């Protein structure tokens, strides 16, 4: 299989403003001042994560400023102490993914044993960052109803986000490009950048989103639509930054099941007309999650599982040959007026004027029946496979068009497991590790019941995505913070035809050189039954391609934040190694097309004579 390797390196340097990138963290900053608004230097300022108890403390600078960077999204408590002033506390400060929350502390004169608590909401304006973005917070992620529980559908709440085809609902049972098919900020669909805990979700193959986290595994996410910072690259639209749920000092969990079925559904008008009955419809989504402490205030876990099963009937209405036609008997081959369409013998051609082929004519088969001795043996084997199902409805008057109707179940299955661990090694070091595995299968669609599987949009595709993330944040000093993040993502993708392995030479009688195709492809088995497309009458080819792909993404993202006076300077790099091994043949058995010219009265002017069958 062809192999493609890409090494990508980005070196962003951001200065003079607070900016947070693929590391998904947030920050709290502000100024400590006295009742006259004069700055207070040397005050002890601390922030505590209400969920995990993790605490950081620094001294305010000479101009009263303080900044806490690389904070895990969550709720925090800010405390300020200084001799001669009352103890200052502000609780329930919501730090969102990639947010910079300004909290200015106005101290009151008094004894340090006295305290003042401030209750206020987090400011809506993010004045520390010029990027245009919006957070879909944890309450929205958990509370808003989602058909198929596709958390990325909530991105549509953000102005400037336009979903494209198949983006809505659960992506299982759809084309693999559906999951990230959004236009953001006027950019091209499927060309945005998406991150999960700072790890890229997009891969080399078409920049598709290889992983779609379950609703219960996502804490919140931010959609950046414009004016993004320099640490982002490789996109032409916007940036979606998701953060996973983490455990806290409280043990919590849940289990759920959402079920829909066809019990109360009615059959469609066309299904009733053809007697096909009520289509299948079942959607079952179930799972559970749990999180809590392993070692209080130090080590936490969170894990989730979700399964998805969907079957939705689609009515396929096709035109197939009659049993008589499959033996060469076209006595019942009629046009829309009920007149017989004659079938001509191609070997009876006579040309009164050899210099004018338009004068050539042929003789019709007696009784409109092709003698059995003239049936091609390869064609007979293809028909006997059988290539087509027999009619199961009357079809249109005279022509018998649309004489086959069948409800076939489409949809698919997926299973996703997420596990995350957070370890507060010390006041200076924090480690995060996450593992995610997603198995997704599109239901094979066997229209004729002969093993042929339908192609797009119902191809029998399957993929497995595995992602591992390890992040280490180390605080050298209150003004110097290093974050190193490593991630690996593997996406294994297959599309397997139902008749894969057919030897067209031995089974059907094709020339012997057809047996060389697998070796020429470098992939065995790689041939199937051929697809036969016929016009006059129109009989569509059924079949799907063969696809095998493995896409590996290695990412290393070190960032160093340096607070210098009024400025926050951030240095970093994003190193990628992308490997793509890919094989695809959309017609592994070949596609053969036939029209009515060969059995018409004149091949240059066939008119309404002859048949492609």
């Amino acid at each position: 299989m062809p192999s493609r390797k890409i090494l990508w390196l980005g070196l962003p340097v951001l200065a003079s403003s607070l900016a947070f990138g693929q590391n998904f963290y947030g920050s709290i900053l502000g100024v400590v001042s006295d009742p006259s608004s004069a700055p207070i230097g040397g005050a002890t300022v601390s922030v505590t994560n209400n969920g995990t108890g993790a605490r950081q403390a620094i001294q305010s600078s000479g101009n009263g400023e303080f900044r806490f960077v690389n904070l895990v999204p969550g709720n925090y408590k800010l405390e300020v102490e200084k001799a001669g002033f009352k103890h200052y506390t502000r609780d329930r400060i919501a730090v969102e993914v990639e947010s910079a929350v300004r909290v200015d502390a106005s101290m009151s004169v008094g004894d340090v044993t006295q305290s003042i608590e401030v209750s206020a909401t987090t400011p809506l304006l993010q004045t520390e960052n010029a990027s245009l973005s919006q957070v879909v917070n944890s309450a929205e992620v958990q509370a808003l109803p989602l058909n198929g529980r596709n958390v990325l559908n909530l991105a549509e709440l953000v102005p400037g986000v336009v979903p494209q085809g198949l983006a809505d609902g659960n992506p299982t049972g759809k084309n693999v490009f559906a999951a990230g098919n959004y236009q953001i900020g006027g950019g091209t669909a499927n060309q945005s950048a998406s991150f999960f805990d700072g790890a890229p979700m997009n891969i080399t193959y078409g920049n598709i989103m290889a992983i779609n986290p379950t609703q219960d595994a996502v804490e919140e996410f931010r959609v950046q639509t414009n004016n993004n910072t320099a640490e982002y690259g490789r996109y032409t639209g916007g940036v979606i930054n998701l953060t996973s749920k983490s455990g806290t000092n409280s043990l919590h969990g849940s289990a759920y099941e959402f079920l829909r079925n066809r019990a109360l559904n009615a059959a469609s008008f066309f299904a009733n007309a053809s007697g096909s009955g009520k289509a299948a419809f079942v959607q079952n989504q179930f799972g559970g999650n749990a999180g809590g402490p392993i070692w209080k205030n130090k080590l936490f876990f969170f894990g989730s599982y979700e399964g998805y099963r969907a079957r939705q009937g689609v009515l396929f209405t096709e035109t197939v040959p009659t049993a008589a036609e499959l033996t060469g008997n076209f006595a019942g081959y009629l046009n829309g007026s009920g007149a017989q369409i004659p079938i001509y013998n191609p070997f009876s051609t006579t040309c009164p004027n050899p210099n004018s082929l338009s004068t050539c004519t042929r003789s019709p088969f007696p009784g409109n029946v092709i003698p059995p001795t003239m049936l091609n043996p390869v064609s007979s084997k293809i028909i006997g496979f059988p290539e087509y199902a027999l009619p199961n409805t009357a079809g249109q008057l005279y022509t018998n068009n649309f004489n086959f109707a069948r409800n076939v179940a489409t949809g698919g299955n997926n299973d996703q497991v997420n596990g995350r661990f957070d370890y507060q090694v010390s006041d200076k070091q924090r480690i995060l590790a996450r593992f995610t595995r997603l198995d997704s299968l599109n239901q094979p669609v066997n229209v004729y019941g002969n093993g042929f599987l339908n192609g797009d949009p119902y191809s029998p595709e399957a993929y497995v995505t595995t992602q591992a993330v390890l992040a280490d944040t180390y605080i050298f000093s209150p003004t110097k913070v290093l974050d190193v993040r490593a991630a690996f993502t593997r996406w294994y993708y297959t599309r397997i035809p139902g008749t894969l392995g057919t030897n067209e030479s031995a089974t059907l009688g094709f020339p012997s050189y057809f047996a060389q195709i697998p070796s020429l492809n470098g992939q065995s088995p790689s041939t199937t039954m051929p697809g036969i497309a016929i016009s006059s009458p129109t009989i569509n080819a059924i079949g799907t391609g063969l696809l095998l792909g493995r896409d590996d993404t290695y990412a290393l993202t070190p960032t160093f934040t340096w607070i210098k006076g009024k400025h926050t300077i951030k240095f970093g790099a994003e190193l990628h190694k992308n490997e793509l091994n890919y094989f695809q043949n959309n017609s592994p058995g070949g596609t053969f097309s036939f029209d009515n010219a060969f059995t018409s009265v004149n091949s240059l002017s066939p008119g309404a004579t002859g048949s492609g069958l």
Side-chain angles (χ1 to χ4, degrees):
M1 293 190 290
S3 178
R4 179 182 175 196
K5 295 187 179 181
I6 302 170
L7 181 64
W8 190 90
L9 172 65
L11 296 170
V13 178
L14 314 178
S16 299
S17 67
L18 272 164
F20 310 95
Q22 292 103 312
N23 59 18
F24 76 86
Y25 293 128
S27 288
I28 297 176
L29 70 157
V31 174
V32 181
S33 60
D34 63 17
S36 66
S37 298
I40 300 175
T44 300
V45 186
S46 67
V47 291
T48 304
N49 186 312
N50 290 333
T52 65
R55 183 179 182 275
Q56 295 183 41
I58 60 176
Q59 300 291 314
S60 61
S61 64
N63 56 12
E65 292 185 342
F66 63 89
R67 304 185 186 201
F68 295 93
V69 298
N70 287 51
L71 298 177
V72 175
N75 275 298
Y76 285 82
K77 179 170 68 174
L78 176 77
E79 298 177 276
V80 184
E81 286 187 357
K82 177 70 173 179
F85 295 91
K86 296 179 181 179
H87 184 93
Y88 176 95
T89 301
R90 181 166 174 178
D91 204 353
R92 299 187 181 277
I93 301 171
V95 176
E96 297 172 331
V97 57
E98 289 200 284
S99 66
V101 182
R102 173 168 287 278
V103 181
D104 292 325
S106 180
M107 306 289 284
S108 299
V109 176
D111 192 272
V112 73
T113 58
Q114 298 177 293
S115 64
I116 179 171
E117 284 198 22
V118 178
S119 298
T121 58
T122 303
L124 295 176
L125 292 178
Q126 295 290 323
T127 58
E128 311 306 318
N129 196 323
S131 68
L132 184 61
S133 64
Q134 180 174 319
V135 167
V136 179
N137 61 41
S138 58
E140 293 170 321
V141 168
Q142 297 304 314
L144 290 178
L146 285 171
N147 182 16
R149 293 172 55 82
N150 179 358
V151 71
L152 289 175
N153 287 168
L154 294 175
E156 299 170 28
L157 299 173
V158 178
V161 178
V162 181
Q164 299 301 301
L166 301 179
D168 288 333
N170 196 284
T172 300
K174 301 176 182 177
N175 188 285
V176 293
F177 286 88
N181 200 17
Y182 297 91
Q183 287 182 295
I184 301 179
T188 306
N190 258 315
Q191 294 301 312
S192 295
S194 303
F195 300 90
F196 188 28
D197 290 335
M201 298 162 63
N202 305 95
I203 59 173
T204 305
Y205 179 68
N207 198 55
I208 70 167
M209 195 175 293
I211 185 170
N212 192 328
T214 61
Q215 189 174 359
D216 276 12
V218 174
E219 177 70 22
E220 63 184 29
F221 63 94
R222 180 180 292 273
V223 181
Q224 297 169 239
T225 58
N226 212 333
N227 202 27
N228 295 322
T229 55
E231 55 194 317
Y232 290 108
R234 303 177 296 107
Y235 72 98
T236 62
V239 177
I240 301 178
N241 227 317
L242 299 96
T243 176
S244 64
K245 276 188 176 179
S246 65
T248 66
N249 276 323
S250 299
L251 183 64
H252 55 85
S254 64
Y256 57 88
E257 181 174 14
F258 299 91
L259 175 64
R260 302 170 66 191
N261 61 43
R262 66 178 183 176
L264 300 177
N265 288 358
S268 71
F269 171 84
F270 297 102
N272 279 330
S274 63
S276 300
K278 189 183 296 186
F281 186 84
V282 177
Q283 181 173 299
N284 190 19
Q285 204 157 5
F286 51 92
N289 62 79
I294 299 175
W295 180 7
K296 192 173 181 179
N297 292 336
K298 297 288 285 185
L299 183 61
F300 308 90
F301 79 95
F302 181 86
S304 69
Y305 163 77
E306 181 170 283
Y308 178 81
R309 308 289 184 266
R311 299 292 183 271
Q312 183 166 356
V314 173
L315 179 63
F316 286 84
T317 304
E318 307 286 347
T319 299
V320 296
T322 65
E325 289 170 346
L326 291 175
T327 66
N329 185 342
F330 287 82
Y333 185 41
L334 310 177
N335 63 22
S337 300
Q340 189 174 75
I341 301 173
I343 305 296
Y344 291 84
N345 186 342
F347 301 106
S348 66
T349 304
T350 59
C351 299
N353 182 358
N355 295 319
S356 178
L357 296 180
S358 61
T359 65
C360 298
T361 59
R362 296 165 174 165
S363 301
F365 284 108
N368 233 28
V369 177
I370 302 172
T373 56
M374 295 186 68
L375 297 181
N376 185 287
V378 174
S379 298
S380 297
K381 289 181 178 180
I382 292 174
I383 288 173
F385 165 67
E387 179 82 10
Y388 309 104
L390 291 174
N392 60 7
T393 69
Q396 294 179 340
L397 183 64
Y398 301 130
T399 64
N400 292 319
N401 288 338
F402 307 112
N403 57 1
F404 178 85
R406 185 183 179 200
N407 273 312
V408 183
T410 65
N413 305 339
N414 76 40
D415 294 275
Q416 184 174 150
V417 175
N418 288 276
R420 170 170 162 169
F421 293 90
D422 293 85
Y423 182 30
Q424 189 72 32
V425 182
S426 66
D427 290 344
K428 291 183 173 294
Q429 188 176 18
R430 181 178 65 246
I431 294 175
L432 177 154
R434 177 179 56 78
F435 174 83
T436 299
R437 179 183 171 93
L438 168 62
D439 290 78
S440 182
L441 168 69
N442 285 9
Q443 171 76 4
V445 176
N446 189 350
V447 178
Y448 293 146
N450 58 357
F452 261 134
L453 302 180
N454 204 66
D456 287 336
Y458 304 112
S459 296
E461 297 178 336
Y463 65 87
V464 178
T465 303
T466 305
Q467 185 175 80
V469 182
L470 181 64
D472 189 353
T473 302
Y474 193 86
I475 303 172
F476 290 97
S477 72
T479 60
K480 297 179 179 67
V481 180
L482 174 67
D483 183 82
V484 180
R485 189 170 305 271
F488 170 74
T489 304
R490 168 165 289 177
W491 185 68
Y492 185 70
Y493 180 39
T494 60
R495 180 188 296 168
I496 306 298
T499 61
L500 184 65
T502 300
N503 185 325
E504 294 175 285
S505 297
T507 304
L508 303 176
F510 277 109
S512 59
Y513 56 76
F514 272 63
Q516 301 175 29
I517 294 175
S519 60
L520 294 173
N521 282 335
Q523 177 64 41
S524 182
S526 62
T527 53
T528 66
M529 287 291 295
I532 309 293
I534 296 173
S535 59
S536 297
T538 300
I539 301 176
N540 295 324
I542 295 290
T544 189
L546 170 64
L547 190 155
L548 301 168
R550 191 191 75 229
D551 195 306
D552 291 345
T553 301
Y554 303 83
L556 180 65
T557 310
T559 58
F560 182 75
T561 304
W562 179 29
I563 300 172
K564 183 67 174 176
K566 290 181 174 293
H567 300 287
T568 298
I569 306 170
K570 192 171 186 180
F571 305 89
E574 184 181 6
L575 299 98
H576 276 207
K577 181 184 180 185
N578 292 7
E579 296 181 357
L580 175 61
N581 293 274
Y582 192 84
F583 173 89
Q584 182 170 355
N585 185 339
N586 288 335
S587 302
T591 299
F592 297 86
S593 301
F594 299 90
D595 59 24
N596 62 328
F598 192 64
T599 54
S600 65
V601 65
N602 182 293
S603 60
L604 295 182
S605 302
T609 63
S611 168
L613 178 62

